[in-house]
Amino acid sequence: MSRQMTGAQMVVQALKDQGVDTVFGYPGGAVLPIYDAIFQQNDIRHILVRHEQGATHAAEGYARATGKPGVVLVTSGPGATNAVTGLTDALMDSIPLVVLTGQVPTFMIGNDAFQEADTVGITRPCTKHNWLVKDTDKLSETIHQAFHVATSGRPGPVLIDVPKDVQFATGDYVTPEKSSTGHYAPRTKGDIDLITLTVEALEKAERPVLYSGGGVVNSGLGASQALREVVAATNFPITSTLMGLGCYPASGDNWLGMLGMHGTYEANLAMHDCDFMLCIGARFDDRITGRVDAFSPNSFKVHIDIDPSSINKNIHVDVPIIGDVGSVLDDILEVWTARGRKTNSEAVAAWWKQIETWRAVKSLAYKNSDSVIKPQYALERLEALTKGHDRYVTTEVGQHQMWAAQFMGFEDPHRWMTSGGLGTMGYGLPASLGVQIAHPEALVINVAGEASWLMNMQEMGTAMQYRAPIKQFILNNERLGMVRQWQELLHGERYSSSWSESLPDFVKLAEAFGCKGIRCDNPADLDEAILEMLAYDGPVIFDCLVEKHENCFPMIPSGKAHNEMLLGEASTQDAIDVSGAVLV
Amino acid sequence: MNALAIKKGSSGKSAYNLRNPLGDHQETHTLTVLVDNEAGVLARVIGLFSGRGYNIDSLTVAEVDHLGHRSRITVVTTGTPAVIEQIKAQLERMVPVYAVNDLTVEGQSVERELALVKVTGAGEKRVEAMRTSEVFRARVVDSTLESFVFEITGTPEKIDAFVDLMRPLGLEEIARTGVAAIARGA
């Protein structure tokens, strides 16, 4: 039986039927009917953000922390264009988002009406798919299809543009069960012959390394479980991309730390020298590979990815397995078990000895100070004092992000939210808000730099309104730290526009928002200040004044190979040559 | 140090130098893409090509199944073998795409293009244009005392050749459809 209702009611009904309980949004003229429908019900909670970009990042944080799609509702024109950064961010990091935008009525489309923008045109390259719904009868089915597309295969953001007359008009509501999901059905089961080939290579491997990524998080908890089983049973070393942290626990025996541009020495050298590489749900991004023609030159490479276009895009692999990483890892375990669970354990033991010598280099070591807080020290203390908590960590983008990845340990997936692919400054604060809305009782910390944090600081107002006790841990060096580092290494120490000459007083800013502000500039007071932050029942802006000129090491300069890492200040002279300088 | 003064590809150490086992030579492939005939689908495909820096040598699109709302896009593209593979994978993962076929590698295929060619002139040139059109099996679809419009169908190479011959004979205007292609056999 079809049910008649208005388009606006359909939106709310479809969201309910999709299991949505939270929507992040901002009203405006072209979505007023939907807001009216939201007003008249109690199943879906609407979180009023302060800027549409904040809504998209909050929804990303929510999605990353729950495994469910994040839902955003914004108005036409500027509402939609403000959402573009969040859409692009979610596309790059494979985060499922369903974004609903209002649109001017169908009969006004194309007339340059007030707050009109070609939303589907603008967002076509930054969504997995998008729809302009011109007929109320098609609205509910389109929304159900949108959820299917956002969450199946490689997850990503989708957008549905709903003209205002479509929201007012009455039509037939179709339930998710009755609705066609279309023909979009990515393959999830890996090819068994390729899996067998992988197992054969795994059995013979002398210098193996597992390299996992965000795909393991997206695949679900079963994938992390299977990954842990594979590592435990094979005793192979494992590293992860920025996006995949937590899938294998940082406290695990086989953990090498993060790899890539600011990854550990042992992780990157293991990648370079290995003879068998199993890439699990990662995509050989340029932050990972460094110089591609010198990337792991002597290894047999297996790549598991649900997205066929990730295969052979940057790095040519020997065995491409297209499928869901959880399913493929289960199949690998099954085939390997059936063949007697063999590994070349003697060679692997020798390989571990080699890795230990790299580990002994202690590439994350830094020179601590009694007089000034080193950012690394601040994060080590934050890590130590929050370790036992039910903790989620988000970050902004820059040096602090890399230090957080290096110095904070993640034991489980869905605990770490960061803008990896797009590198969006301003991501962390709204993302932490989204996480806190999903997990009201948990400890949610945004590790931030002061420059990134200022980009979306208006969302502190949202945190206050919804009593979301997010902790903003700002490593304040009064610089755009990563830009400053590159200018030092690459542009003759000419610090062009990388210094914030006028920063707000963050403690007073906190008071202005009505939350708590804490400032700390002395290493001796740091523990106490962090404990004060943790003890406060409400949002906190923590202004941690740190060393202003600290560089983030280790570092693979752009254009260099994994075995050409810079380990510290002494090695930076002329480290980046001209061919590296054009890269980002 | 002027980082931007490097000649493209001048350094063997450039990070852009892909270790490419498929080879670095350029190949031209004809791809057919079966898609949902929904609003914006062509923009989506074209946007993919422009956004990722792929070449479009020719592109045609028309609905081929009215009841099933499906259109067929024929795109001729040039790139290294790795890029061609990447183009196919990128097309295949698009939500409205049913199937992508590479006619260049999947056995033999037939490629045809239609062109309308307007030639103006009088006297000997006009006679010569008429004579040449017969050699190419072009049809006259419009004629005045000073002009012909020829309709010619064939491979893009045949049309190129015809156009080259018409140029000194008073070539005025050309309209080409782009390539439509289909695999041979059952």
Side-chain angles (χ1 to χ4, degrees), chain A residues 260-261 263-274 288-298 354 358 554-557 559-567 571 575, chain B residues 13:
Chain A
M261 186 174 268
T264 66
Y265 190 64
E266 55 269 34
N268 283 327
L269 284 215
M271 289 289 281
H272 187 268
D273 285 5
C274 68
I288 298 306
T289 58
R291 197 177 119 198
V292 284
D293 61 352
F295 175 75
S296 193
N298 303 311
Q354 171 65 62
W358 293 329
M555 177 181 184
I556 303 174
K560 297 287 187 182
H562 278 173
N563 57 353
E564 299 175 279
M565 287 190 91
L566 307 181
L567 289 169
S571 55
Chain B
K13 283 186 175 177

Side-chain angles (χ1 to χ4, degrees), chain A residues 151-301:
Chain A
T151 53
S152 52
R154 179 176 174 175
V158 298
L159 181 141
I160 310 160
D161 203 20
V162 191
K164 197 170 181 184
D165 55 333
V166 173
Q167 300 171 32
F168 273 126
T170 303
D172 286 338
Y173 179 78
V174 186
T175 60
E177 297 73 34
K178 292 261 174 70
S179 165
S180 154
T181 51
H183 55 90
Y184 181 72
R187 173 185 183 146
T188 56
K189 192 91 181 142
D191 182 293
I192 198 69
D193 292 338
L194 295 175
I195 286 168
T196 307
L197 259 176
T198 303
V199 171
E200 283 168 9
L202 179 156
E203 287 167 347
K204 283 183 286 196
E206 296 180 359
R207 299 184 309 281
V209 70
L210 306 180
Y211 143 47
S212 66
V216 183
V217 182
N218 281 331
S219 177
L221 293 176
S224 291
Q225 198 47 48
L227 178 70
R228 290 167 190 217
E229 248 181 274
V230 170
V231 176
T234 57
N235 190 32
F236 286 179
I238 173 161
T239 177
S240 165
T241 67
L242 183 72
M243 296 309 294
L245 296 178
C247 291
Y248 183 80
S251 61
D253 294 336
N254 297 49
W255 178 238
L256 300 179
M258 182 178 74
L259 82 159
M261 186 174 268
H262 293 289
T264 66
Y265 190 64
E266 55 269 34
N268 283 327
L269 284 215
M271 289 289 281
H272 187 268
D273 285 5
C274 68
D275 71 344
F276 171 76
M277 178 188 296
L278 181 55
C279 168
I280 309 159
R283 60 183 176 92
F284 296 99
D285 172 78
D286 55 66
R287 300 293 98 162
I288 298 306
T289 58
R291 197 177 119 198
V292 284
D293 61 352
F295 175 75
S296 193
N298 303 311
S299 59
F300 183 85
K301 299 179 186 71

Side-chain angles (χ1 to χ4, degrees), chain A residues 124 129-130 149 154 183-184 291-293 295 301 307-309 313-314 316 490 559 578-579 581-583, chain B residues 1 3-4 6 12-13 15-19 21 36 38 40 43-44 86 89-90 93 95-98:
Chain A
R124 203 174 279 129
H129 198 63
N130 61 14
V149 170
R154 179 176 174 175
H183 55 90
Y184 181 72
R291 197 177 119 198
V292 284
D293 61 352
F295 175 75
K301 299 179 186 71
D307 177 4
S309 76
K313 182 167 67 181
N314 300 328
H316 186 78
L490 202 66
V578 282
S579 64
V582 292
L583 303 176
Chain B
M1 180 166 67
L4 298 173
I6 323 160
K13 283 186 175 177
Y16 289 125
N17 284 357
L18 230 74
R19 186 166 58 112
D36 281 322
E38 60 178 34
R44 239 174 256 288
Q86 187 58 209
Q90 291 287 355
R93 74 171 182 156
V95 173
V97 169
Y98 283 89

Side-chain angles (χ1 to χ4, degrees), chain A residues 26 52-53 74-84 101 115:
Chain A
Y26 204 101
E52 290 87 351
Q53 187 190 352
V74 295
T75 193
S76 62
T81 56
N82 280 342
V84 165
T101 52
Q115 292 196 328

Side-chain angles (χ1 to χ4, degrees), chain B residues 70-96:
Chain B
R70 294 188 194 185
S71 291
R72 180 164 160 134
I73 297 171
T74 307
V75 54
V76 182
T77 183
T78 302
T80 63
V83 166
I84 301 282
E85 288 309 308
Q86 187 58 209
I87 290 171
K88 288 190 267 182
Q90 291 287 355
L91 285 169
E92 263 163 10
R93 74 171 182 156
M94 295 177 79
V95 173

